[in-house]
Amino acid sequence: MKLTFWGAAQQVTGSMFLLESDDYRILIDCGSDFDLDEIGKKTRYDEQKSVFPFEASFINTVLLTHAHIDHSGNIPNLYKEGFEGRVVCTEPTLALTSLLLKDAANLHQKRLNARNSSSSRKRGKKPKEVPRDYFVEKHVLEAMDNFVSVSFGQRYRIADNITITFYAAGHLLGAAHIVVEVYEDGQKKKICFSGDIGRKNYPLLIDPQEIPQVDYLICECTYGNRLHENQAAPVEALADVIRRTCIDIPGRLIIPSFSVGRTQALLYTLNKLYMDKSFPYIKVFSDSPLAHSSTKVYQRHVRLLNKEARSFQEDNDMLFDFENLIYLESSDASRAVSNYNEPCIIISSSGMVQGGRVEQHVEANIGNPYATILMIGYASEGTLGWRLLNGQDTISIRGKQLPVLANIEKIDVFSGHGDQADLVKFVKMQDPEKLKCVFLVHGEQQSMADFQSIINEQGYKSVEIPLRGRTYEL
C-alpha cells in the first residue's frame, strides 16, 4: 500500500492525498491550492497540461473530509479530466460542498466574462488562455450527481478489501475524520485522515469524536505551535466587543467572516445574546448570499448539532433568525448599508478581507474613527486582513490608498480549528507503541516543526513532515 502527499504538504491549503492498494486508488480530499505561487503553478501546469500531477481517470473513489474549498475545490476539475467514480462524504458536507462549488463556479464565470468582453480585448491581441483550474456551473452539477452520503459511525465498503468510517471532527457541520481499513496480504491496516480538527465547546458543533487505534495517522497542524488567545465563552467575548463599539459609543462594528461555518456561529451567538432581554437591540446586517444559503443547511441539520443548540432550537424555534437581523441579498442592498447611520453590526465575507462584499464595507469605514473592524479568524500573509492586523497606517483598496482611522480588533473564540492542545489530545488517542507513523500536514512549516518536537516528547518517535509528491510504503 502506498500513500502520496499531493497537497497541504508543508503548507496549509490544497489538501489532497492519494492512497493506493493494489489497483485501487483513493483520493482523500481534492482541494484548491491557494499557497502555490503563480510561477510554480504555471510551470507545473504547462509541463503536465493538467490541474493534477496524476491521471484523473485512474482514481477510483474520492473521500471528502469536509466542504471547505481548500479540501473540495478541485473536484469538478477531477471530473473534467476523466474521473468517473464517486465522492463519498457526510450528508451536510454534500449540501455545503454544492453551495461552495457553485459559488466558486460563479466567480470563475464572472472572470471569464470579463476576459471575453469586447471592452477588455484589444484589437489584434490574442485572448488570454483560460486557467486550467477554472470550472463553471455545469461542471459542478455533473460532479454533484456522483456524490454519495454516509452517516457518521457507519462502516461503508468502497471496495472488496477496503472499508471506511466517518467520525465527527467538529470544525464545520458535517466535517469528518476518516478511518480507512485496508485488507492487504492477509493483514488489516488502519489509516486515519484527520481532516481539519475542531475544538471543544464550539458554538453549534459537537466536540470532535474519539477515533479508534490506527496504524497510521495523517494529522493537520494549522495551530501546531500556538494556543487560542481568548479563553472567554463566545457569548461573553462578543458581548464585550459590541458594548464597547456600538453601545458605549454610537459606533459601527464590521466583522469579516467566512460564509460557511463562521457566520453561522456568529448569528447563533448573537441570537443567544438578544434572547437576553437586557441586551440592547442593535441592527445586524448579514451580507452574504452564500452565508444565507449555508445557514439554511445548518437549520435543516439541527439533529447533528450539539446538545445546547438542539435545546435552543426546541425552546425558540429558530437558531439564527432574530428580530433585528436583516439578510442582504442584492449588491444594491449591500451598498445601501453605508447610508444607515445608527449603530449596527455588519457581518460580511470574506474572512480574510480578500475579495467579497466585505471589501466595500471596509473601504467605506476605514477612515471612520467610530467604526471597528473585528477580525475573528486567521488571515494569510499579504491579504488585506493580514495588513490590518499588522497595524499598517494606510492600506490600498481597489487602487486607492486610504488612512486607517477605524479601530482594528481581534478575537479567536470563533476560530473553528483546534489549537496546539487540541491537536496533542487528538494524537494522544493513539498508543505510541502501536502507532507506526504520524504524518503532519495542513500547516506552515514552522508550525509543523514545532508540533513534531512536541509529540516526539510525548513518545511518538516516527513523525514525518512530507514534501509535496513524496510517496511512502505503508
Side-chain angles (χ1 to χ4, degrees), residues 296-313:
K296 293 176 182 177
V297 174
Y298 269 69
Q299 186 70 59
R300 289 201 306 269
H301 291 88
V302 171
R303 71 187 190 283
L304 295 177
L305 301 179
N306 61 31
K307 183 177 179 180
E308 181 188 61
R310 295 196 306 271
S311 297
F312 189 90
Q313 167 73 23

Side-chain angles (χ1 to χ4, degrees), residues 78-203:
L78 198 68
Y79 283 98
K80 277 176 61 180
E81 295 197 15
F83 173 57
E84 296 179 344
R86 299 164 298 171
V87 177
V88 185
C89 61
T90 65
E91 184 182 346
T93 294
L94 189 159
L96 292 174
T97 300
S98 177
L99 294 176
L100 280 162
L101 292 180
K102 287 177 183 175
D103 185 68
N106 183 51
L107 178 60
H108 293 169
Q109 187 66 65
K110 288 180 179 178
R111 290 173 177 169
L112 291 173
N113 292 343
R115 284 169 176 261
N116 296 329
S117 66
S118 57
S119 59
S120 64
R121 187 183 300 170
K122 293 181 180 178
R123 180 173 295 180
K125 187 174 182 181
K126 184 179 178 180
K128 293 182 180 178
E129 184 179 350
V130 175
R132 292 188 179 90
D133 56 350
Y134 272 27
F135 53 84
V136 293
E137 187 170 1
K138 73 170 185 176
H139 300 125
V140 175
L141 297 175
E142 290 167 359
M144 296 310 302
D145 281 343
N146 294 283
F147 273 57
V148 176
S149 64
V150 175
S151 300
F152 287 118
Q154 174 188 351
R155 181 171 283 152
Y156 183 79
R157 187 172 300 278
I158 61 172
D160 289 342
N161 65 326
I162 304 173
T163 62
I164 62 170
T165 308
F166 291 100
Y167 296 85
H171 179 67
L172 181 71
L173 179 66
H177 311 307
I178 305 177
V179 174
V180 182
E181 298 179 62
V182 181
Y183 297 84
E184 190 178 70
D185 300 327
Q187 292 183 315
K188 181 171 72 172
K189 301 174 185 178
K190 288 187 177 182
I191 308 101
C192 176
F193 296 86
S194 73
D196 287 356
I197 299 168
R199 54 195 295 192
K200 288 189 68 175
N201 303 316
Y202 190 77

Side-chain angles (χ1 to χ4, degrees), residues 367-388:
N368 179 4
Y370 288 93
T372 299
I373 299 169
L374 176 65
M375 300 296 296
I376 61 170
Y378 174 79
S380 59
E381 186 172 348
T383 61
L384 183 53
W386 180 84
R387 297 200 297 273
L388 290 170

